[in-house]
Amino acid sequence: MAKRIQFRAHGGPEVLEYVDFEPAAPGPNEVLVRNKAIGVNFIETYFRTGLYPVASMPSGLGNEGAGVIEAVGTEVTHVKVGDRVGYGTGPLGSYADLHLTPAANVVKLPDDISFEQAAAIMLKGLTVQYLFRQTYEIRPEEIILFHAAAGGVGSIACQWASAMGVKLIGTVSSPEKAAHAKANGAWEVIDYSKEDVAKRVLELTDGKKVSVVYDGVGKDTWETSLDCLELRGLLVSFGNASGAVSGVNLGILAQKGSLYVTRPTLGSYANTPEALQAMADEVFAMVSSGKVKVDDLKKFDLKDAAKAHTELSARRTTGSIILVP
């Protein structure tokens, strides 16, 4: 018998329950991971509230974790019992002592990457990798805009951009978060609670605006993001922290300068075991080299997942949140 977090109905953090459960034995191409650390990400609030559907109720929660292989299916060859592994692409259910997942979703951890680092970096680090290296490949000296620069993904993005010589302008909601983003390598920071973001971007770029905006906030920043883009610029809308963007009038893209918009997901990039491992290897290399540090961790016991969600939803956190079984 193991423990997990589940929910029987959609709602706020209070719907999360800490319960006993019996994980199934691995199928031919599955592995059972005994989690040592579990990542918490904003996307999990979408499943909890019903913005994103779940297969059935009650449902587990969480896509990311790191631990030790407890059991493997008969067809699994690239990992074995006892291997240290990480995963960041689901399926739902990582908020648990034990998690059953397709073997194709796990990658081996280098010896110098801890379980806590892996749980904090897998989903968020892989996200930054595909955003910066695949969706739009950022270049040295280029000025870019990244919303929520003090959050889990944003903290990694600031460091990654700085390591590449890219001038990242980050948006934040408080002086404390501004200091956090700057400490992580943001070139400039805009406190949107006090400043007009589009106007400030215009000033910082000498009227040129930016070539790309990375927007994980969604509804609240949609118009602002478009206003920050140069002619034929690209808006990468990769999250919905403030709610989903809906009712889009394509004509606005023409009016604001023949702009491009894409709505990518990690699954579309890490769509094969080989692609996933290559992406993870690049993320681990950034951590091993010290270019990306994963030391700003907020830890909660697994049973206190509801408290972690309360802090996350209130945007009171910086860096990464992990649960410890």
Side-chain angles (χ1 to χ4, degrees), residues 160-183:
W160 199 308
S162 178
M164 294 181 67
V166 174
K167 297 177 178 178
L168 182 148
I169 303 171
T171 68
V172 297
S173 60
S174 70
E176 294 77 18
K177 290 189 175 184
H180 179 85
K182 287 287 283 186

Side-chain angles (χ1 to χ4, degrees), residues 125-208:
L126 290 170
T127 297
V128 175
Q129 196 281 341
Y130 86 72
L131 290 176
F132 282 1
R133 303 279 288 126
Q134 299 186 75
T135 304
Y136 178 95
E137 192 161 2
I138 55 177
R139 303 177 297 271
E141 297 301 314
E142 186 172 19
I143 303 176
I144 68 173
L145 180 67
F146 203 102
H147 288 299
V153 175
S155 296
I156 296 169
C158 288
Q159 296 178 71
W160 199 308
S162 178
M164 294 181 67
V166 174
K167 297 177 178 178
L168 182 148
I169 303 171
T171 68
V172 297
S173 60
S174 70
E176 294 77 18
K177 290 189 175 184
H180 179 85
K182 287 287 283 186
N184 277 322
W187 176 61
E188 293 286 351
V189 180
I190 302 171
D191 184 343
Y192 63 79
S193 70
K194 301 176 181 177
E195 302 175 274
D196 182 311
V197 174
K199 181 180 178 181
R200 186 68 182 126
V201 166
L202 204 61
E203 294 170 351
L204 291 169
T205 59
D206 295 325
K208 297 177 182 178

Side-chain angles (χ1 to χ4, degrees), residues 110 112-114 116-122 124-126 156 159-160 163 279-295:
D112 60 349
I113 301 295
S114 71
E116 291 186 353
Q117 286 176 316
I121 199 77
M122 282 295 296
K124 291 175 278 291
L126 290 170
I156 296 169
Q159 296 178 71
W160 199 308
M279 292 168 66
D281 286 345
E282 186 169 358
V283 173
F284 296 149
M286 293 293 284
V287 176
S288 296
S289 68
K291 293 177 180 177
V292 170
K293 294 180 172 59
V294 192
D295 51 16

Side-chain angles (χ1 to χ4, degrees), residues 38-63:
I38 301 155
V40 176
N41 299 279
F42 209 94
I43 191 172
E44 281 119 45
T45 69
Y46 303 161
F47 290 105
R48 191 200 72 223
T49 60
L51 178 62
Y52 286 2
V54 296
S56 61
M57 293 285 199
S59 173
L61 193 59
N63 293 283

Side-chain angles (χ1 to χ4, degrees), residues 65-282:
V68 177
I69 296 287
E70 183 100 342
V72 300
T74 56
E75 301 297 319
V76 177
T77 58
H78 74 291
V79 291
K80 64 183 184 303
V81 172
D83 280 350
R84 301 172 68 252
V85 297
Y87 57 91
T89 54
L92 286 181
S94 69
Y95 286 19
D97 294 333
L98 294 165
H99 185 43
L100 186 67
T101 185
N105 290 0
V106 303
V107 297
K108 288 186 177 181
L109 300 182
D111 292 340
D112 60 349
I113 301 295
S114 71
F115 292 122
E116 291 186 353
Q117 286 176 316
I121 199 77
M122 282 295 296
L123 182 58
K124 291 175 278 291
L126 290 170
T127 297
V128 175
Q129 196 281 341
Y130 86 72
L131 290 176
F132 282 1
R133 303 279 288 126
Q134 299 186 75
T135 304
Y136 178 95
E137 192 161 2
I138 55 177
R139 303 177 297 271
E141 297 301 314
E142 186 172 19
I143 303 176
I144 68 173
L145 180 67
F146 203 102
H147 288 299
V153 175
S155 296
I156 296 169
C158 288
Q159 296 178 71
W160 199 308
S162 178
M164 294 181 67
V166 174
K167 297 177 178 178
L168 182 148
I169 303 171
T171 68
V172 297
S173 60
S174 70
E176 294 77 18
K177 290 189 175 184
H180 179 85
K182 287 287 283 186
N184 277 322
W187 176 61
E188 293 286 351
V189 180
I190 302 171
D191 184 343
Y192 63 79
S193 70
K194 301 176 181 177
E195 302 175 274
D196 182 311
V197 174
K199 181 180 178 181
R200 186 68 182 126
V201 166
L202 204 61
E203 294 170 351
L204 291 169
T205 59
D206 295 325
K208 297 177 182 178
K209 301 187 180 182
V210 298
S211 52
V212 60
V213 175
Y214 293 99
D215 189 342
V217 177
K219 181 178 65 174
D220 289 355
T221 49
W222 167 254
E223 289 274 358
T224 296
S225 293
L226 295 177
D227 287 338
C228 292
L229 285 166
E230 65 182 25
L231 193 70
R232 300 190 302 277
L234 172 65
L235 170 54
V236 182
S237 178
F238 68 94
N240 313 304
S242 67
V245 176
S246 60
V248 175
N249 174 10
L250 288 179
I252 197 172
L253 303 180
Q255 296 165 18
K256 293 183 181 294
S258 298
L259 304 179
Y260 293 87
V261 175
T262 184
R263 180 59 176 91
T265 64
L266 174 58
S268 297
Y269 289 89
N271 60 331
T272 67
E274 295 77 18
L276 173 60
Q277 187 67 62
M279 292 168 66
D281 286 345
E282 186 169 358

